[in-house]
Amino acid sequence: NAGVTQTPKFQVLKTGQSMTLQCAQDMNHEYMSWYRQDPGMGLRLIHYSVGAGITDQGEVPNGYNVSRSTTEDFPLRLLSAAPSQTSVYFCASTSGGLNYGYTFGSGTRLTVV
Amino acid sequence: RKEVEQDPGPFNVPEGATVAFNCTYSNSASQSFFWYRQDCRKEPKLLMSVYSSGNEDGRFTAQLNRASQYISLLIRDSKLSDSATYLCVVNPGGYNKLIFGAGTRLAVHP
């Protein structure tokens, strides 16, 4: 199994550009989330989904949109990139259940100049 | 106050040492707890869940004290390969929204 696949691995954007970070999982997990990781701050939740067609905001949703049209895919859209969005982005999924941890993708390193 | 707090370290220990990491969480209603390991420039990977009765996985022992809102991870007989950042993670309940601590860095040297 591939697990959680994120693309691209690296991206440089100019301020104001938009782009979509792709995330796909092949484990039939209902729960998927997007996190960003910045130095010294830990991972922070951007958006999450509890199933196809259902999404909600996390701790830091501003500037990002998500959709969940299928169980497998959970893309993250940056609407108008800003330097403050320079970060490492991780997509993660879980089958649910309180003691089930998340499986993470390998991350996307985004730089906004 | 951060929801999950950890000592950032780094902890520099020799091979074979025993090292303990601590973590506190602010939400007393939190329902599940984890330790993740993150290698440099890699994704976090689940190390172990933490249960109220305490649990052990080889050289790793995790403890939870709900009354004090405190979680610990003990690593015995440290290996060079244990060098990584250890993330304390809490599920406050509902929709599996995990809250991550900033991590404690461990460096094991020969």
Side-chain angles (χ1 to χ4, degrees), chain A residues 35 37 48 98 102 105 109, chain B residues 32 36 38 41 43 96 98:
Chain A
Y35 288 86
Q37 185 173 33
Y48 67 99
L98 286 177
Y102 269 86
R109 295 185 177 275
Chain B
S32 55
Y36 277 72
Q38 187 173 26
R41 301 179 72 83
E43 72 273 22
N96 283 287
L98 301 183

Side-chain angles (χ1 to χ4, degrees), chain B residues 4-70:
Chain B
V4 179
E5 297 205 60
Q6 297 181 249
D7 182 339
F11 285 60
N12 293 300
V13 303
E15 277 186 289
T18 296
V19 61
F21 305 139
N22 303 319
C23 167
T24 57
Y25 60 95
S26 61
N27 185 343
S28 60
S30 295
Q31 299 187 17
S32 55
F33 310 88
F34 307 90
W35 284 101
Y36 277 72
R37 171 194 168 125
Q38 187 173 26
D39 294 297
C40 187
R41 301 179 72 83
K42 298 288 189 180
E43 72 273 22
K45 291 185 178 179
L46 179 65
L47 180 66
M48 57 198 303
S49 300
V50 187
Y51 302 113
S52 296
S53 55
N55 48 299
E56 187 174 308
D57 183 1
R59 298 181 292 109
F60 299 84
T61 300
Q63 298 277 355
L64 168 64
N65 184 323
R66 285 188 182 270
S68 301
Q69 294 175 214
Y70 170 95

Side-chain angles (χ1 to χ4, degrees), chain A residues 82-106:
Chain A
S84 61
Q85 294 179 304
T86 293
S87 189
V88 181
Y89 291 85
F90 289 104
C91 178
S93 73
T94 183
S95 57
L98 286 177
N99 290 314
Y100 285 87
Y102 269 86
T103 299
F104 282 81
S106 58

Side-chain angles (χ1 to χ4, degrees), chain A residues 40-108:
Chain A
M41 298 190 70
L43 282 82
R44 291 181 293 167
L45 183 63
I46 305 172
H47 285 284
Y48 67 99
S49 170
V50 300
I54 306 169
T55 64
D56 206 347
Q57 297 181 352
E59 179 186 356
V60 289
N62 292 341
Y64 308 95
N65 272 354
V66 292
S67 59
R68 184 97 181 268
S69 56
T70 67
T71 298
E72 293 77 22
D73 299 300
F74 191 42
L76 177 72
R77 281 182 288 278
L78 278 72
L79 307 174
S80 176
S84 61
Q85 294 179 304
T86 293
S87 189
V88 181
Y89 291 85
F90 289 104
C91 178
S93 73
T94 183
S95 57
L98 286 177
N99 290 314
Y100 285 87
Y102 269 86
T103 299
F104 282 81
S106 58
T108 295

